[in-house]
Amino acid sequence: MKKISILITILLTIASCKPDHPKNYMTLAGKIENSKDSVIILKGYQLTKKIDIKANGTFKDSLIIKKKGNHLFFIGGIKRFVYLDNGYDLYLKGNANKYEEGFTYEGIGSDTNNFINAQYTFSRSFGEPTDFFGLEKDAYFKRMAIIERGIDSIENLFDNVDTTVLKQSKRLNAQFLRNMKDENIYKIQRQRYLELKAKKDKIAKGQPSPEFKNYLNYKGGKNSLSDYRGKYVYIDLWATWCKPCIAQFPVLKKLEKEYKNKNIVFISIATDDDKTAHSWEKAKKVWRDAVKKFELKGVQLFAGEKQFTINYLVGTIPRFMLIDPEGNIVDNDAPRPGDPALKKLLDELEI
């Protein structure tokens, strides 16, 4: 009997001494304060997962991660990156009213995610790097010294950051600082900044709007911006291939109807060109077909050139702008048709 007891004891001891096998899954749980959303969507390598949020804001699920790394975390119309790996037991905390501040984490895997979040928060705190070149030389390099100390502090703040993440972060930060501390790069970027600022100043509020001339009108003839002096002009720059542009049509038509017979004209300018349509004639046909298909109202114009968009420094569409009856700029990047801020602006102008 003693021999059997000893044998059982030995077997239990051996079993307890065996190395743990790493889990082939992870657990993600957490709580979102003030959340009005009912689901979280996670996307990563060979992974798309919906996680239900309870009425009290809590959630929990198990995940099999095919490839460790950053995964997209969608909630409430925003997206964040969450670093996931099998073996993690991660608890996430956030506030729906403060998504811009990111999340905080507890549990296994928290150091890596808190490290990433700390870097994100720090980068937001010092603004856009391109804006640094607006500083005079001494102020600029003092700012770089402050940023370098901040980066060093974050890199030493957490003990258990994933080695791949930490190594990559150090490499990218070193490259960033090396470039930003280079005096020759500063001189070049400073000159570019000043040139761009001069262009932006030309389209600032109150400045005369750049003109467009002889744009083809869907209803016949040609029109220029000067034809609409005496009225406010709300311009929509769009293209037939632009889905976000097309998504604005219903609310734009509703707005046009609401302000009918008031001192404002709504002009939609199609920016299709010969490159996207392979010829100018085809571009015009595609534009005409789209105006008919979507039953667009207001003034429908076809640009046929790019100088107007170049003068307005347009990088993406849709883009909206508001011009006053004297032809001066009210807003060179006006709110979209469905944005309550636009209605507020138009009411303030007593249109």
Side-chain angles (χ1 to χ4, degrees):
M1 194 69 178
K2 280 186 177 180
K3 289 182 179 180
I4 294 174
S5 298
I6 292 170
L7 180 60
I8 291 173
T9 302
I10 292 171
L11 289 172
L12 288 172
T13 303
I14 293 172
S16 65
C17 292
K18 283 184 179 180
D20 291 334
H21 293 290
K23 291 193 297 185
N24 63 350
Y25 68 94
M26 68 157 290
T27 302
L28 178 64
K31 184 173 184 178
I32 306 294
E33 300 284 351
N34 302 309
S35 177
K36 296 179 181 178
D37 299 285
S38 59
V39 68
I40 293 164
I41 298 176
L42 274 175
K43 288 188 176 182
Y45 179 76
Q46 295 185 2
L47 173 69
T48 298
K49 180 82 171 181
K50 290 185 178 180
I51 302 176
D52 292 330
I53 303 174
K54 295 181 180 179
N56 63 358
T58 61
F59 62 90
K60 185 175 182 178
D61 210 335
S62 296
L63 309 166
I64 296 175
I65 305 302
K66 298 291 186 180
K67 185 177 181 180
K68 74 173 183 177
N70 280 321
H71 289 63
L72 283 170
F73 184 102
F74 295 91
I75 183 172
I78 63 101
K79 66 179 179 180
R80 290 286 181 268
F81 285 107
V82 180
Y83 195 90
L84 304 179
D85 191 12
N86 292 324
Y88 279 10
D89 187 4
L90 195 61
Y91 190 88
L92 176 156
K93 293 191 290 185
N95 190 321
N97 296 333
K98 300 178 181 179
Y99 278 143
E100 70 280 357
E101 296 179 6
F103 303 124
T104 56
Y105 303 86
E106 298 173 357
I108 301 172
S110 61
D111 271 8
T112 297
N113 280 285
N114 284 325
F115 170 72
I116 293 171
N117 189 62
Q119 291 202 108
Y120 169 77
T121 303
F122 179 66
S123 67
R124 282 178 58 89
S125 72
F126 62 69
E128 289 293 329
T130 51
D131 292 338
F132 298 162
F133 301 112
L135 298 172
E136 296 291 343
K137 185 176 178 180
D138 288 347
Y140 171 85
F141 283 102
K142 285 181 181 178
R143 175 69 64 86
M144 288 304 105
I146 293 171
I147 290 172
E148 185 170 16
R149 288 195 295 271
I151 289 173
D152 288 342
S153 174
I154 292 171
E155 287 180 346
N156 294 294
L157 193 59
F158 303 97
D159 296 326
N160 297 308
V161 178
D162 181 274
T163 54
T164 302
V165 172
L166 186 59
K167 184 177 179 180
Q168 183 181 36
S169 174
K170 287 186 174 183
R171 179 178 62 81
L172 292 174
N173 285 335
Q175 182 180 354
F176 168 77
L177 289 169
R178 185 166 56 250
N179 290 336
M180 297 296 281
K181 290 164 66 177
D182 187 305
E183 287 200 25
N184 289 327
I185 290 178
Y186 168 75
K187 290 178 182 178
I188 294 170
Q189 294 298 334
R190 167 77 172 167
Q191 183 60 34
R192 289 177 179 173
Y193 173 88
L194 293 174
E195 290 172 357
L196 180 59
K197 183 178 182 301
K199 292 178 181 179
K200 287 182 176 180
D201 288 345
K202 288 183 179 180
I203 55 170
K205 182 178 180 179
Q207 292 296 313
S209 171
E211 295 283 342
F212 64 78
K213 295 182 179 180
N214 299 319
Y215 280 8
L216 189 64
N217 191 314
Y218 177 77
K219 292 183 177 180
K222 295 182 178 181
N223 287 105
S224 302
L225 180 58
S226 58
D227 295 338
Y228 304 97
R229 291 287 189 270
K231 288 180 175 287
Y232 283 94
V233 179
Y234 183 71
I235 295 175
D236 167 23
L237 296 177
W238 69 288
T240 59
W241 46 261
C242 172
K243 291 183 179 180
C245 300
I246 293 170
Q248 296 298 312
F249 290 163
V251 284
L252 180 57
K253 286 194 282 188
K254 183 179 179 181
L255 188 70
E256 290 168 346
K257 186 176 181 180
E258 183 178 352
Y259 282 85
K260 187 178 181 180
N261 299 324
K262 294 191 177 183
N263 193 37
I264 185 170
V265 59
F266 295 88
I267 301 177
S268 296
I269 300 176
T271 60
D272 295 69
D273 58 27
D274 59 334
K275 292 181 180 178
T276 54
H278 306 297
S279 75
W280 282 112
E281 286 307 312
K282 188 173 181 180
K284 292 175 188 176
K285 183 181 184 306
V286 171
W287 162 64
R288 290 184 183 281
D289 290 345
V291 173
K292 183 178 181 180
K293 175 183 177 181
F294 295 109
E295 299 179 342
L296 301 183
K297 309 300 180 183
V299 178
Q300 298 297 323
L301 302 180
F302 181 84
E305 57 92 31
K306 294 184 177 295
Q307 195 56 52
F308 184 70
T309 58
I310 290 172
N311 289 339
Y312 263 106
L313 305 177
V314 175
T316 59
I317 53 175
R319 171 76 173 269
F320 301 88
M321 47 207 64
L322 184 63
I323 300 166
D324 72 16
E326 287 73 44
N328 298 319
I329 297 169
V330 176
D331 193 336
N332 67 35
D333 192 5
R336 294 188 175 194
D339 189 336
L342 177 61
K343 183 72 164 53
K344 181 181 178 183
L345 175 60
L346 298 181
D347 289 346
E348 288 174 351
L349 295 170
E350 298 181 350
I351 296 176

